[in-house]
Amino acid sequence: MERVAIVGAQWGDEGKGKVVNYFSKNYEWIVRFSGGANAGHTIYYKGKKYVNHLLPSIIPEGESKAFLGAGMVIDIEQLIKEIEVLENDFPGVSSKIYIDLEAFLVLPYHKEEDGILEELRKNPIGTTRRGIGPSYTDKVSREGFKIYHLFDEKLLKERLEEVIFLKKNIYGNRFNFDPDKIFNYLMEQKNKLEKMNVKFTSAIDMANVFRNTSVLFEGAQGVLLDLDFGTYPFVTSGATMAHGVSSVGFSTFELNEVLGVLKAYTTRVGEGPFPTEEFGEIGETIRKKGNEFGATTGRPRRVGWLDLPALRYAKLRSGLTKLVITKADVLDGLDEIKVCVAYDVNGEIKEIPTSSYDFFVGKPIYETLKGWPNTNHVNFLKYMAFIEEKTGIEISHISYGPKTEEMCTKNDLIFNM
């Protein structure tokens, strides 16, 4: 009855989908507890690439079931596309998908709003324009729609008329959506999900089930993009840390482990501070070798050296108990590896940022370690030991390629050298 959360320990894109997919065979339920289709979790299964923006990273042919929790904002058209891809290759997989009735919807006009707001900003924040921010905004301002609204046509029509009336008054001619068309669109999407045999339930109904079995909680984005504790305003709109499991009715005290996934270096997509960003030739080399382009947007990711102050911050904010390191092979062949060990914050040396403000003004202080050739990973193990020593967190697993099976424990690596 183990319950484990897997979260991103950096700015997202750490490879959580592959990591969750690797561990999922040991769990009955895989639960996404936050985020929307701005997340892109890429998995390689049986020689084929699958990019799940909303679906939990289950093994399609395994026994585990998927649950989309109330902390999410769900674009049901995108969800249907993802299910159809899996259903085509693995008939019947859709019957293992459950959606919380309390989850919020991303509607077509949220994407339009996303674009309008980004264009109106003096300094764009780098949104994916998937409607995530506006959907979460509506959730907070009480103009949102939940999954359960799809099952009360009268209530849905009334709310659509009220909300669209308000938005037309706000945006004027920029906003041209008809309540009846949105209603018909939603009914069409709901009917498709029902025909796929997708289940609709709630965390309350599932409470006893979850507490009497094994659950793997899959986070979205990374700790440094958390709405409350990330590099605000250059953050996502939901909870990216382990405390987000509360939306599924759990406390972090009920978790056995919180695994933080990080790359052997650091990347970021979009605007915002990035203390260890590398602008030179070495940055471009890492970007190309690591194929650092967004799974959702296709945008080139910003690349930099490993940031230990940020990792320590993630440890404290999200209660990380172990680390899983990905893209370990990308640094193969470099003569030297730089690691940020502290920040100079306005003349004060800090090993741990005391607030997210420090990410904006901190200047990285580096130590340089010896690299490792492709045929000798002794220095790589020293790199792992250095990370463990400086963070106080054990590295349990190492990912060395994109395929789900390209993963080993640190001990396996030591014994096979």
Side-chain angles (χ1 to χ4, degrees):
M1 293 187 289
E2 189 174 60
R3 290 181 286 275
V4 172
I6 294 179
V7 299
Q10 297 168 314
W11 274 287
D13 305 309
E14 302 95 347
K16 293 179 296 299
K18 177 249 180 80
V19 174
V20 172
N21 193 237
Y22 175 83
F23 285 108
S24 66
K25 61 182 178 291
N26 301 320
Y27 294 83
E28 185 169 347
W29 287 91
I30 313 301
V31 176
R32 266 284 300 272
F33 57 83
S34 69
N38 55 338
H41 294 180
T42 304
I43 60 175
Y44 291 83
Y45 186 70
K46 292 195 169 180
K48 186 171 180 179
K49 177 181 177 180
Y50 298 90
V51 180
N52 293 338
H53 299 280
L54 291 163
L55 281 177
S57 303
I58 63 172
I59 294 177
E61 293 179 306
E63 297 298 321
S64 57
K65 304 178 189 68
F67 187 80
L68 285 71
M72 294 183 68
V73 288
I74 298 174
D75 178 344
I76 54 177
E77 184 175 3
Q78 172 63 39
L79 177 61
I80 288 168
K81 290 178 182 178
E82 293 178 27
I83 296 173
E84 286 174 341
V85 169
L86 286 183
E87 190 68 31
N88 183 62
D89 292 342
F90 308 99
V93 69
S94 56
S95 64
K96 298 192 292 185
I97 298 169
Y98 293 67
I99 304 176
D100 197 323
L101 291 165
E102 300 283 0
F104 279 80
L105 291 166
V106 175
L107 300 182
Y109 58 70
H110 286 134
K111 299 171 188 177
E112 185 73 17
E113 283 185 272
D114 215 347
I116 292 172
L117 292 170
E118 192 75 341
E119 290 166 8
L120 290 174
R121 290 186 176 102
K122 182 178 180 181
N123 296 304
I125 60 175
T127 170
T128 60
R129 304 197 181 204
R130 294 295 183 101
I132 308 307
S135 179
Y136 273 114
T137 298
D138 278 2
K139 172 181 177 178
V140 175
S141 63
R142 300 177 297 279
E143 273 86 50
F145 289 82
K146 293 193 174 191
I147 292 290
Y148 66 63
H149 284 110
L150 300 176
F151 298 91
D152 188 330
E153 295 186 11
K154 181 175 181 294
L155 179 59
L156 178 60
K157 285 182 177 180
E158 290 174 353
R159 282 190 57 77
L160 281 170
E161 289 176 1
E162 292 173 2
V163 173
I164 289 178
F165 176 84
L166 171 64
K167 290 181 181 292
K168 283 182 176 178
N169 282 330
I170 295 173
Y171 295 108
N173 293 332
R174 285 177 175 266
F175 193 90
N176 188 28
F177 286 89
D178 178 76
D180 290 333
K181 289 184 179 179
I182 299 294
F183 174 82
N184 292 332
Y185 162 83
L186 289 173
M187 289 298 98
E188 179 185 352
Q189 304 304 316
K190 184 200 77 166
N191 291 336
K192 285 183 179 180
L193 286 174
E194 289 184 317
K195 288 179 181 178
M196 289 175 164
N197 201 25
V198 171
K199 312 293 193 308
F200 299 91
T201 183
S202 74
I204 294 294
D205 291 333
M206 299 296 293
N208 287 333
V209 174
F210 287 153
R211 282 181 169 79
N212 287 284
T213 187
S214 54
V215 184
L216 185 62
F217 293 96
E218 179 177 9
Q221 285 88 32
V223 170
L224 301 178
L225 291 177
D226 184 75
L227 179 61
D228 291 316
F229 300 111
T231 51
Y232 189 89
F234 303 101
V235 294
T236 190
S237 299
T240 64
M241 302 190 301
H243 74 260
V245 302
S246 63
S247 66
V248 192
F250 279 83
S251 162
T252 51
F253 293 106
E254 296 180 85
L255 297 175
N256 300 99
E257 297 276 8
V258 179
L259 303 184
V261 184
L262 73 149
K263 287 175 180 168
Y265 47 98
T266 308
T267 64
R268 177 166 195 167
V269 170
E271 306 298 323
F274 187 173
T276 65
E277 186 168 10
E278 176 60 57
F279 297 98
E281 181 180 340
I282 189 65
E284 188 60 30
T285 297
I286 294 172
R287 181 181 296 108
K288 289 180 178 178
K289 190 173 179 181
N291 191 28
E292 294 298 350
F293 301 90
T296 298
T297 63
R299 291 180 294 183
R301 295 182 184 131
R302 298 158 65 190
V303 174
W305 299 109
L306 186 63
D307 187 331
L308 294 183
L311 192 55
R312 297 183 191 110
Y313 181 87
K315 172 189 175 182
L316 293 176
R317 288 298 191 190
S318 198
L320 305 182
T321 59
K322 288 182 182 177
L323 297 174
V324 177
I325 193 162
T326 65
K327 299 286 185 91
D329 54 314
V330 173
L331 299 182
D332 285 359
L334 296 182
D335 293 329
E336 293 182 335
I337 309 293
K338 291 171 66 177
V339 182
C340 174
V341 295
Y343 292 164
D344 180 337
V345 180
N346 299 323
E348 180 183 358
I349 306 304
K350 291 188 177 183
E351 292 188 345
I352 302 175
T354 51
S355 76
S356 57
Y357 168 77
D358 291 346
F359 293 106
F360 288 84
V361 296
K363 295 180 174 61
I365 298 171
Y366 289 107
E367 286 191 27
T368 300
L369 306 180
K370 290 184 178 180
W372 51 89
N374 295 333
T375 56
N376 185 349
H377 288 153
V378 172
N379 285 343
F380 173 70
L381 289 176
K382 290 180 180 179
Y383 185 55
M384 299 294 101
F386 183 82
I387 295 170
E388 291 179 322
E389 176 190 353
K390 296 296 184 181
T391 62
I393 320 174
E394 175 191 354
I395 295 171
S396 65
H397 287 74
I398 298 165
S399 169
Y400 53 87
K403 297 177 183 177
T404 296
E405 64 272 18
E406 291 178 319
M407 181 99 79
C408 67
T409 67
K410 187 180 63 178
N411 288 337
D412 286 338
L413 183 62
I414 294 171
F415 292 146
N416 290 324
M417 286 186 61

